[in-house]
Amino acid sequence: MASKQRLARLLQQAQRSVRSLHNSVVSAAPVPSRPGPKSLKDAADEVLRSGRQLNHTRANAAMAQVSTQSKTHTMPVSVPIPAVKVDLSGAISMVPEGEIIEEGVYKNLDGHRFEDGRYARFTDEISAFIPVERQFTDPVRTFAYGTDASFYRLNPKLVVKVHNEKELQRILPIAKKHGVPVTFRAAGTSLSGQAITDSVLLKLSHTGKNFRNYKVHGDGSQITVEPGLIAGEVNKILASHKKKHSLPIQYKIGPDPSSIDSCMIGGVVANNSSGMCCGVSQNTYHTLKDMRVVFVDGTVLDTADPASCQSFLKSHKSLVDGVTQLAKRVQGDSELSSLIRRKFAIKCTTGYSLNALVDFPVDSPIEIIKHLIIGSEGTLAFVSQATYNTVPEWPHKASAFMVFPDVRSACQGASVLRSETAVDAVEVFDRVSLTECMNDEAMLKLVPEIEGADPTAAALLIECRGADEASLQASIDEVNQAIMRSGLPLGPKAARLQTIEDYPFHHDPKKSKILWDVRKGLIPIVGGAREPGTSMLIEDVACPVDKLPDMMMDLGDMFQRYGYANASCFGHALEGNLHLVFAQGFRNKEEVQRFADLMEEMCYIVATKNSGSLKGEHGTGRNMAPFVEMEWGTKAYDLMWELKALFDPETVLNPGVILNRDPDVHIKALKPSPAASPIVNRCIECGFCESNCPSKDLTLTPRQRIVVFREVHRLSTLPSPTAEETSRLAEMREAYEYQGVDTCAADGMCQEKCPVKINTGDLIKQIRSEEMMQQPRASGVAKWIANNFSAVTSPVPFFLNMVSLSHSIVGPAPLKYISNWLNRVSDHAVPTWNPYMPRGAAKLKLPVAPTVAIQESTGIPRKVVYLPSCVTRMMGPAAGDTQTESVPEKLMSLFAKAGYEVIIPRGVTNQCCGMMFNSRGFKDAAAAKGRELEAALMEASQGGKLPIVVDTSPCLSQIKASISEPELRFALYEPVEFIRHFLVDKLEFRKVRDTVAIHVPCSSKKMGIEDSFAKLAGLCANEVVPSGVPCCGMAGDRGMRYPE
């Protein structure tokens, strides 16, 4: 059996090589097979020489094995990897025996795309309309922008930031003309290697307001969006539309991936994303109404415009006829049509959306083409606009967490719910997942049963929804009755079963949120706990729900046998969709071998043994491209190649993705995850942090800062670097100083969206601190300023007033010119002037205690310690502000109106929280100022007995992070928070505005008091509108020193 399988493997590889020679749609060279016994290799070589088309491909071989292996239970054998290599960017690849890479000889294959003049010609031509400022070839930005969330790495030769559809219309024909492959990139949250390239990357994310237009139609049941919008933003737009127009139904887009607050519409359409609750019926394929699409020749088709459709039918007759003929052929083949329908009855993103060829009549070619492009991962065309039919977001929801004594029972429960109820969502948790749930205190309070569960236990997280309470309750009753009828055992222990009454549905949104937050957190929990130097891998498989118990148990057994003790299986049970999360290193040949063997067996278990999908919702990419034929069979696989040839005959659009002749591409260009710093070693490079970063459109995002930092560290620790590696390290270090360090706001907002809670700002502060340690003179100056803080800061108000007066006399031009010059010559030490610069703050007036302190009913006097920050002590309103009072004056007025005695800490003019020193890397000075302030606050607050108000939230955040006295931690308040808790019942509020917009500072968001801003503003206005801006970008004075 083993020798037959090895021969089959060699023959499969040989067939791919033969096809690569004869198939005109692929410009790939033959890919040598892995080594085996000499006689088998000779047999494969004979096939190669004769050029015969083999009847027994990988897919057919796999199908032939089903009957045999179902009896013998023999798994695929391991084929040894001859060797591995590491490229210039650190990616590791298996090296097939006899592989020859001819330097300078271009082939349209990963690793073979050498410059032979085509890239220079392409660049010259696009430079006529794309400014060089939007073309990137430097080692830092090509490396950073080329990184996505997958575990693959290819380094683009050129990254182009594209601003609109018209630019793409011009770029694509030029790429086609010069034979330059291009890959489209939106948010880069995809997991299968479909958004990377070693050619040209066309980046439409982080380009300001470009590709971010939208239009809500009517009551919100349709919305037109551009590919640069984040999916979660679209739902917020729809929510705002409902609220603004007082509409009865809240709508949302159908797809709801876990990355919904980070992924962009471009990727959602290109990958046919789904998610936890949308299932199959609400994915993009089934909810997209129309699209604007740019083809490789630059033609734009607007499927909502009849004139555009008619023009396209004429101008692209050959493409239309080809698609029509394929649809006729498929619809006339009952066996193939049945296979396609069966495959897409469950989640499936392996290969192209062949269901488009059976779902629409042959006389509707536009509909067929439109749906073929969905899920095509940028290999057929570019979608520049999409119109969705949205789905209702029912307001009434309830969730239950039901535990079963074994995996089989839990999966059978999911099957029962799918066939007998209209339940909205069902998620399955394996035992490893339940172990992680036990680490969540709130989760344990809700479901204490999971502690001490049997080793085989599993659980279902179930959600029901309704338009009203009655329909919600009807859905809950339906679920409970179906579980009871099934007779399945309930409870975490087989020896002590429980009843359905032990697992109630929670209607309280806060309790439901706990359950779903734990589910969403499973992936990062596993990722964050992995060994440094390893990557977190997420495989994504699906099968018919009735086969889910067997598949889940087989996969669990597989992980144990391969030594992945902490691997976790969980996912969308209602759709038979599992996510397999595990840690994997790519540091040597042995680790690559283990991964290769695991992949072969996983694909056998899923595709062959359980008739499942190797990719349920994450897209094929490079990860599963070698296994598409195994899952689909040769007939469907060949059909996909025909589609690719029709849409992209020159293989310009994202070559190697979805379809790839290299059977080993999934174990090439594997991305390393070198341990570089405890601060960021847990980073899984998901990209969730990016939307919160104020420098994302300018330089780098938090993810990109981390990956470049890792690469610099890797290069700097190479034992024997080459001249090329040494030169690359020097270039990256120099560029990173500005790209990574200088332009980082270090506000920590990235941490708020990071699933493993990494604050990239801490990394940057650490780098700045290490740099300052090498500059004793600068550190000495910082310590002097800290020791003489009052003397240094007291002249600042006078200076600001003089600048403001100068502005009123000479106008803005001289001040702007002089400050810009000083900024340059001082290496950004001097801020640049702008019209919104503040005037000097009024001198702080010490409060006068009331004659008789007002007592609360509890007998506690109304006393508050007020710490005016150094910023508000120095800076007042700008000249153009309507408000003329400083922050201290405003707060003192409020305290007085509420009858509070105000206590100012001793020596306040010399006090500072230390943030201005800490953010620059002067940690010793920051710590010294922090200790001084802590002592002053302890004295003023009587050891933390009195509340302390700090009038700027960044300073408050810094104080909370650095104090050592626990008594102070709970006495500290931000002004809005203090007003809400202490002053609301003591002051009179009137609604003096119809609408007010609020911007919540980063630090306030991080401290979790955003809700206080909205509620307090709601007392003063009829409508409160959040600004939607994650960060203002000022980062203290950094925004003035780096105004860009």
Side-chain angles (χ1 to χ4, degrees), residues 620-899:
T620 308
R622 286 171 169 80
N623 182 216
M624 281 301 166
F627 301 94
V628 174
E629 187 175 13
M630 178 183 185
E631 176 179 329
W632 275 97
T634 303
K635 187 186 291 186
Y637 184 65
D638 288 344
L639 189 67
M640 293 181 191
W641 278 106
E642 290 184 65
L643 283 169
K644 174 67 173 175
L646 284 170
F647 282 83
D648 181 27
E650 287 83 9
T651 322
V652 169
L653 303 179
N654 214 7
V657 168
I658 295 184
L659 302 177
N660 199 306
R661 298 296 188 188
D662 183 350
D664 299 310
V665 70
H666 64 299
I667 46 176
K668 293 181 178 178
L670 298 165
K671 181 168 65 179
S673 182
S677 167
I679 298 173
V680 296
N681 283 342
R682 292 174 297 115
C683 177
I684 57 179
E685 299 182 14
C686 61
F688 287 12
C689 57
E690 294 190 333
S691 60
N692 265 12
C693 181
S695 67
K696 61 181 180 291
D697 296 340
L698 174 66
T699 51
L700 303 180
T701 66
R703 167 171 64 173
Q704 293 162 357
R705 286 185 167 88
I706 291 172
V707 299
V708 176
F709 176 78
R710 281 175 167 171
E711 178 64 0
V712 168
H713 183 271
R714 184 190 71 84
L715 288 169
S716 66
T717 55
L718 290 175
S720 302
T722 64
E724 190 176 14
E725 288 168 336
T726 301
S727 173
R728 179 177 173 83
L729 174 59
E731 283 188 76
M732 294 188 86
R733 274 179 168 161
E734 182 180 359
Y736 191 69
E737 190 63 33
Y738 175 77
Q739 299 286 338
V741 179
D742 289 344
T743 53
C744 177
D747 58 11
M749 282 304 293
C750 48
Q751 186 178 36
E752 296 305 292
K753 295 193 71 174
C754 175
V756 294
K757 295 304 173 187
I758 291 172
N759 184 344
T760 311
D762 288 344
L763 171 69
I764 300 304
K765 290 175 184 177
Q766 179 65 34
I767 293 172
R768 291 171 185 165
S769 177
E770 291 171 358
E771 291 175 350
M772 290 303 104
M773 289 174 66
Q774 306 302 316
Q775 301 180 36
R777 184 176 177 182
S779 297
V781 171
K783 288 181 180 178
W784 184 87
I785 293 174
N787 292 333
N788 299 275
F789 198 72
S790 180
V792 173
T793 58
S794 58
V796 173
F798 173 77
F799 173 75
L800 290 174
N801 285 329
M802 292 305 298
V803 171
S804 180
L805 178 63
S806 300
H807 174 216
S808 66
I809 296 172
V810 302
L815 289 177
K816 191 171 184 180
Y817 175 82
I818 294 170
S819 65
N820 286 346
W821 178 80
L822 289 171
N823 181 260
R824 286 195 303 272
V825 299
S826 66
D827 193 22
H828 299 279
V830 177
T832 60
W833 178 88
N834 66 68
Y836 309 103
M837 290 285 278
R839 291 175 298 180
K843 186 176 180 179
L844 183 66
K845 296 178 182 179
L846 295 179
V848 178
T851 306
V852 180
I854 298 175
Q855 301 286 324
E856 299 286 2
S857 58
T858 57
I860 300 173
R862 292 186 188 176
K863 291 185 178 182
V864 61
V865 177
Y866 172 40
L867 175 65
S869 68
C870 57
V871 173
T872 59
R873 296 198 306 266
M874 292 186 289
M875 300 180 184
D881 285 350
T882 56
Q883 298 292 329
T884 59
E885 293 177 300
S886 66
V887 171
E889 288 174 311
K890 286 286 189 182
L891 276 176
M892 295 292 281
S893 172
L894 281 175
F895 293 143
K897 288 177 181 178

Side-chain angles (χ1 to χ4, degrees), residues 928-961:
K929 295 308 291 181
R931 287 191 296 270
E932 285 180 27
L933 179 60
E934 184 171 353
L937 292 177
M938 281 292 289
E939 179 188 23
S941 66
Q942 300 174 21
K945 294 178 182 178
L946 300 178
I948 305 167
V949 174
V950 184
D951 61 13
T952 52
S953 60
C955 296
L956 174 60
S957 180
Q958 172 74 15
I959 294 168
K960 284 189 172 184

Side-chain angles (χ1 to χ4, degrees), residues 540-582:
D540 161 47
V541 300
C543 70
V545 180
D546 61 339
K547 295 189 176 185
L548 185 60
D550 290 332
M551 186 176 81
M552 193 167 179
M553 293 176 71
D554 285 346
L555 291 170
D557 174 67
M558 173 194 73
F559 279 125
Q560 292 302 312
R561 283 188 288 103
Y562 280 96
Y564 295 90
N566 295 320
S568 184
C569 299
F570 54 87
H572 319 314
L574 202 62
E575 308 297 333
N577 183 200
L578 291 179
H579 295 318
L580 317 177
V581 182
F582 55 102

Side-chain angles (χ1 to χ4, degrees), residues 380-614:
L380 302 183
F382 173 81
V383 178
S384 59
Q385 188 184 87
T387 298
Y388 276 91
N389 289 317
T390 56
V391 300
E393 172 73 305
W394 298 124
H396 301 277
K397 301 177 184 179
S399 299
F401 196 86
M402 297 185 182
V403 187
F404 297 80
D406 57 81
V407 168
R408 184 172 294 279
S409 297
C411 293
Q412 287 174 341
S415 182
V416 166
L417 293 177
R418 178 182 172 90
S419 61
E420 298 182 19
T421 75
V423 66
D424 290 278
V426 180
E427 295 288 303
V428 64
F429 292 61
D430 70 352
R431 186 63 181 86
V432 175
S433 305
L434 291 181
T435 301
E436 300 298 346
C437 292
M438 288 164 52
N439 296 323
D440 188 290
E441 186 178 343
M443 181 71 176
L444 266 181
K445 287 182 179 179
L446 275 183
V447 195
E449 298 88 352
I450 59 178
E451 194 165 27
D454 283 350
T456 58
L460 296 179
L461 171 55
I462 304 167
E463 180 169 280
C464 296
R465 303 173 189 166
D468 50 43
E469 285 292 348
S471 57
L472 171 61
Q473 190 57 50
S475 180
I476 292 172
D477 293 342
E478 185 183 45
V479 166
N480 287 336
Q481 290 165 11
I483 293 293
M484 287 189 291
R485 283 196 307 269
S486 71
L488 291 169
L490 272 173
K493 292 180 176 293
R496 191 169 67 249
L497 297 180
Q498 295 178 303
T499 66
I500 197 75
E501 286 76 18
D502 293 307
Y503 297 100
F505 275 82
H506 298 284
H507 294 252
D508 183 350
K510 292 182 180 179
K511 291 182 178 180
S512 292
K513 186 176 185 298
I514 290 170
L515 298 175
W516 285 99
D517 281 352
V518 167
R519 163 60 185 87
K520 292 174 183 177
L522 285 177
I523 291 176
I525 287 171
V526 175
R530 73 190 190 282
E531 175 192 346
T534 62
S535 300
M536 187 193 75
L537 272 58
I538 308 173
E539 292 300 339
D540 161 47
V541 300
C543 70
V545 180
D546 61 339
K547 295 189 176 185
L548 185 60
D550 290 332
M551 186 176 81
M552 193 167 179
M553 293 176 71
D554 285 346
L555 291 170
D557 174 67
M558 173 194 73
F559 279 125
Q560 292 302 312
R561 283 188 288 103
Y562 280 96
Y564 295 90
N566 295 320
S568 184
C569 299
F570 54 87
H572 319 314
L574 202 62
E575 308 297 333
N577 183 200
L578 291 179
H579 295 318
L580 317 177
V581 182
F582 55 102
Q584 171 70 55
F586 296 122
R587 294 166 289 198
N588 50 53
K589 186 174 82 170
E590 291 70 28
E591 290 185 332
V592 176
Q593 180 74 64
R594 181 169 74 141
F595 173 67
D597 294 342
L598 180 84
M599 286 290 290
E600 293 283 349
E601 181 166 332
M602 185 196 76
C603 292
Y604 160 75
I605 290 172
V606 175
T608 303
K609 189 175 180 182
N610 290 287
S611 306
S613 306
L614 295 172

Side-chain angles (χ1 to χ4, degrees), residues 147-204:
T147 298
D148 73 350
S150 74
F151 53 93
Y152 295 98
R153 164 158 292 139
L154 291 172
N155 213 43
K157 291 175 178 58
L158 170 67
V159 178
V160 180
K161 282 194 174 183
V162 184
H163 278 182
N164 52 59
E165 180 188 270
K166 288 184 177 179
E167 289 183 351
L168 273 167
Q169 281 185 269
R170 300 179 68 179
I171 290 172
L172 293 185
I174 295 171
K176 180 181 178 183
K177 171 184 171 183
H178 296 294
V180 172
V182 297
T183 294
F184 309 113
R185 165 68 68 82
T189 57
S190 53
L191 296 164
S192 302
Q194 60 265 62
I196 60 173
T197 182
D198 58 3
S199 185
V200 174
L201 188 72
L202 301 180
K203 192 173 188 295
L204 56 101

Side-chain angles (χ1 to χ4, degrees), residues 25 226 233 968 1025:
V25 303
E226 289 190 337
E233 287 181 317
L968 282 183
V1025 181

